[in-house]
Structure formats: structure tokens, C-alpha cells
Amino acid sequence: MATPQDESNSGSPELRAAEYVRMSTEHQRYSTENQSDAIRSYAARRGYTIVRTYADEGKSGLNMDGRSGLRQLIADVTDGRADFEIVLAYDVSRWGRFQDADESAYYEYQCRRAGVQVEYCAEPFENDGSLGSDIQKMLKRKMAGEYSRELSVKVFAGQCRLIEKGFRQGGPAGLGLRRQLIDEAGQKKSLLGRLEHKSIHTDRVVLVPGPSDEIEVVRRIYRSFVEDGRSEGEIADLLNSEAVLTDLGRPWTRGTVHQVLINEKYIGNNVWNRGSFKLKQKRVRNEPSMWIRSDGAFPAIVDPLLFNAAQAIIRGRSAKMSDAAMLELLRQLLAKHGYLSGLMIDETASCPSSSAYRSRFGSLLRTYSLVGYAPDRDFAYVESNRRLRQQYPGLVEGMLEELRSAGASVSLNSDTGIATINHEITAALLLCRCAQTEAGSLRWLVRLGGPNQPDITIAARMEPGEGAVRDYYILPALHGWSSRLQFAERNGASLDTYRFDTLEALYELMRRVRLAEVA
């Protein structure tokens, strides 16, 4: 976030400077206020006047994701909008703890190439390009990255100990369960609602049974599967016919029923580290031998015998198939969609479950390699984007029709997707896919910029599952937005001022009114 500064008492500065401050959650000495105090003392000693502040509060320095302040700084510098000659950062680690030191150097190089010098106020060297300066800076960058790696190891070890003691580590509780907050003495405090988090460091979270009607739905799923012989798809159809929703308020699918059937938390086991996303690098699914577990940590809401019977049925479905037959089904699925994911496999009735493939071949990644597929990221979003592409033409046409009904003249450039309204204003509609974090929070990414930036960007935030539009953000280009905006459910006045439930405000703004002729 960039903010201009009051220059009324700046006198006659020799050089204009911008400050960049960043704080994650590491230590109070790195608070943005303390950084800014040190930077301003440094600037005063050198006769610089700080005219702009870029800040990233509560942001990790591992990469550029979510760091709107640094992104805006780099964009202002490279696009020629910078009204300063120097960027001041507290030290190298505030610039970033990039795991690749060359990435940190690249962003500094972009500034220097545009004629803007970067200076580190608390470092023992001048960033003047000398041999001694460059060597120290390189070591500092490596040390900053190494600090994050060492911290990651310590945090992981601490999380493992908490799991083994029976405490929950992130993620929604799930249907039939609730997250119970307890203090350091083990005394119960309150139940945490969805999207709520503990606020005291020494508090812990455990799982407890939820409402009786939800528990009955979970038990009914197991009984239907084991005793009645229904498949996951049949159980999903039955629940949907009765208007029973998942814990996230969504209809059931074959995959969501399958996840209930294989999750050990329903028999009280605390299992963690099924997947890893260390240092915000590539997300991977771990082998079962790497899982951290504590059996019997929570009260069970499903009879362990019933749970084990369900696992035996799931394993037995694929036991009758040869390795070659299972892989051939996967090849057919890959040929049909062009990619594979655990969710896709679980949603395909003709395929064994993703857990069956893991059990038979060791892991999904190894299974993928056997059919010639090498994913470099999670492609579950592909199906979501396909649904968005299907909806987009209808939503655009509906918006254009409403504008015409309001008396506006509208033309659409089919190549760029930009509409020209009343021969003077350009606008474009963006559909923003809803993503859910591991903690259950909702996020939307808005990508702006490009060679054909319209005067107005209409960002339509989609509901989870991309079934409908949730609301709209009408973003004027004159504001100078960052090229990437990440929206949460609530974003503060700086963004939510532009939020609207419908596009009536836009239609009214573009309405043409006839004026009486002046005699």
C-alpha cells in the first residue's frame, strides 16, 4: 500500500525518497513503526525527504505473493510514475527473505535500471556497488533466506509436538465436529465459529462432537455405505434430494461423501502433514509414512468397527482390479480432461478412489508418473475456470443489455473483451474465481493491467463453486491499482468503498438524459 506524505515542513530537500516497510509476525523490533523511525532518522542525517510510504503489514517475505506494497513500488518505478530517486528499507531482510537470492537482487536491479537507488538503513555497508558492499549484501540475502528455512524447521517440529499431544492444527472442523478452544491449563473456553481463530498464543484447539443432527448425517453416510451397500454417488444424490448440505453449505458430491468416509478424525484420530507447502514453494502430498498422528485424541462420533469396514470396502473395490486395469482407467481420464487431480478421480464413478490409487501405487504422484502425467501444480482450478468461461458470455451480454436499456450506446470489442460506452468510456468485466484457504477463508484474485487497460474494470466475485456472482467491485483505472489485487471477504474502506451488490450504480452512471433545448 502506498501513501503520500505531508511535505509542508520539508524545507528544500536535496533528494526525494520513498520508504518501504514490511512486517510479518517475527518480532516487535521489526514493527513497521520502528522501521519507519529508523528510516526517517537515516533520511534526516543524509538530507533526504520522504515523500511516499509503501507498506506490507503482516506479509511474509518469502515471495511477492500478497505483497501489494512492494508490487506497487516496483510498478511505480518501472512505469515511470515514481516521484522519488531513492528507496529506503530498514535492512535486507525487510526487502525480502526470498529463497532465491537472485530474486531479491532482481527487484533491486529493476529499481536501479530505472534510476532509483535502494539503500538499507540498518546495514553496516553502503549499497554503492563496491566489491565489499556486494559481497556483504549477497551474504545478507542468503542469511535472510536461511533464517526462514531454519524457522520453518523449528515451526514444523513444534507443530508435530502439538499434534502428538492431540491439538488441532488449522483447517475447518468438518460436518459433525466443532473446534473447541482451551487454555494452557486444559480448561474449555469457547467454541470457534467458521473463520474464527484463537487470539492468545498459549490457547489450543481440539475437536469435539458437534450438533446431534450433523453427527447423525455422518453416521448415516457410513451406515448407507457399509450396511446398505450404496456408493458415494448414490449417497450424495440421496442427501441432495433431502436438501441436506455439507458443512460449507454446499450440495454433496461423490468426492465430498468419499472424504467423509476416509477421514480418521471421525474415529478421534488426529492426523496431520498429509500435504506440505513449506516456504510457500511447491505443494506436495506426502507419503503416509510422513504423516504425524495421535490416535484417540478426540471423542469418536463414528464406531471404529464401522469406519474400518468402510475402509475395507474402499480397498476391496480396487483389489479386484489389476494394476494395468486401474492405470488404463486413469489414462482414459487423462485423455479426456488433459490433466489429473485427486478430486477429479474421486468424482469419477468409473474410477477407483484416489485413496485406492495411493494405497496400490504408493502415492498419487507416482501413479501419475506411471500413466505419463507430470503435474507441476494443482490443476483442480482448471474445471473451475471452464465453468467461468461458460458463464462469461451470458453475463457480459446481460450487462450490455442493461446499459442499452438505460439509454447508453454500447459496442464490444470481441478480441479484447472491452466495451466502449457512450463513445467515451471503456469498461471490461472480469470473473474472479473463489478460492478457499486451508483455514476455510475465502479469497479472490483480481488481475489488472495489460496493454488494453479499460477506464473501468468490473470485478465480479464469484461464489464458491462459481455457481453465481456474489458481488461486484467497480474499479476506476485512475486510482492506480496494483496489477494484482487479492480480496478477502471483507477488505476495509479502501477497497470496499467500490463494492456493490448489483451493477445498478454503473447503469445509473451511464444513463443518458435528454436536456431541454435552450432558446
Side-chain angles (χ1 to χ4, degrees), residues 58 76 125 145 158 251 263 355 360 393 399 430-432 441 449 471 483 495:
D76 287 348
F125 59 83
N263 202 314
S355 57
R360 178 71 68 89
M399 181 185 74
L430 295 181
L431 302 189
C432 304
S441 302
D471 52 22
S483 60
L495 282 175

Side-chain angles (χ1 to χ4, degrees), residues 455-474:
D455 299 320
I456 298 174
T457 298
I458 304 156
R461 297 199 305 180
M462 306 302 291
E463 292 284 8
E466 285 63 68
V469 175
R470 180 189 187 99
D471 52 22
Y472 301 86
Y473 281 74
I474 302 178

Side-chain angles (χ1 to χ4, degrees), residues 88-141:
L88 302 177
Y90 179 76
D91 63 14
V92 169
S93 73
R94 296 306 88 198
W95 187 253
R97 295 190 183 278
F98 299 98
Q99 295 306 289
D100 185 343
D102 289 342
E103 184 176 2
S104 177
Y106 171 69
Y107 296 126
E108 183 181 320
Y109 168 72
Q110 285 187 297
C111 294
R112 190 167 64 249
R113 184 177 61 182
V116 176
Q117 176 69 13
V118 177
E119 296 185 13
Y120 303 107
C121 306
E123 297 292 5
F125 59 83
E126 292 286 338
N127 194 17
D128 56 6
S130 64
L131 178 61
S133 167
D134 286 350
I135 290 175
Q136 291 186 70
K137 187 166 58 175
M138 179 189 68
L139 290 173
K140 288 280 187 175
R141 286 172 177 155

Side-chain angles (χ1 to χ4, degrees), residues 267-305:
I267 57 171
N269 293 347
N270 196 20
V271 183
W272 184 71
N273 200 40
R274 289 187 176 96
S276 299
F277 189 40
K278 293 180 179 179
L279 296 173
K280 299 194 174 183
Q281 302 300 305
K282 183 178 179 180
R283 190 182 299 275
V284 298
R285 182 170 289 277
N286 295 326
E287 303 290 340
S289 60
M290 297 175 63
W291 296 358
I292 310 300
R293 60 187 309 121
S294 175
D295 294 343
F298 315 125
I301 66 172
V302 171
D303 188 315
L305 293 177

Side-chain angles (χ1 to χ4, degrees), residues 282-347:
K282 183 178 179 180
R283 190 182 299 275
V284 298
R285 182 170 289 277
N286 295 326
E287 303 290 340
S289 60
M290 297 175 63
W291 296 358
I292 310 300
R293 60 187 309 121
S294 175
D295 294 343
F298 315 125
I301 66 172
V302 171
D303 188 315
L305 293 177
L306 191 61
F307 180 87
N308 291 334
Q311 309 319 301
I313 292 172
I314 292 171
R315 289 193 299 269
R317 288 188 306 200
S318 59
K320 300 174 184 178
M321 299 180 66
S322 67
D323 290 359
M326 289 181 67
L327 294 174
E328 179 56 31
L329 286 173
L330 215 55
R331 289 190 185 94
Q332 293 174 10
L333 201 60
L334 176 60
K336 180 179 179 180
H337 296 282
Y339 71 100
L340 294 172
S341 72
L343 178 61
M344 177 194 294
I345 294 170
D346 287 338
E347 295 287 6

Side-chain angles (χ1 to χ4, degrees), residues 432-433 435 441-448 459 461 471-475 481 484-492 494-496 498-499:
C432 304
R433 182 171 60 90
S441 302
L442 302 182
R443 296 289 186 270
W444 294 263
L445 179 63
V446 181
R447 299 178 186 273
L448 302 173
R461 297 199 305 180
D471 52 22
Y472 301 86
Y473 281 74
I474 302 178
L475 307 173
W481 306 98
R484 286 166 54 98
L485 298 175
Q486 187 174 54
F487 288 76
E489 293 179 77
R490 293 181 177 84
N491 304 282
S494 62
L495 282 175
D496 283 348
Y498 301 93
R499 192 195 75 82

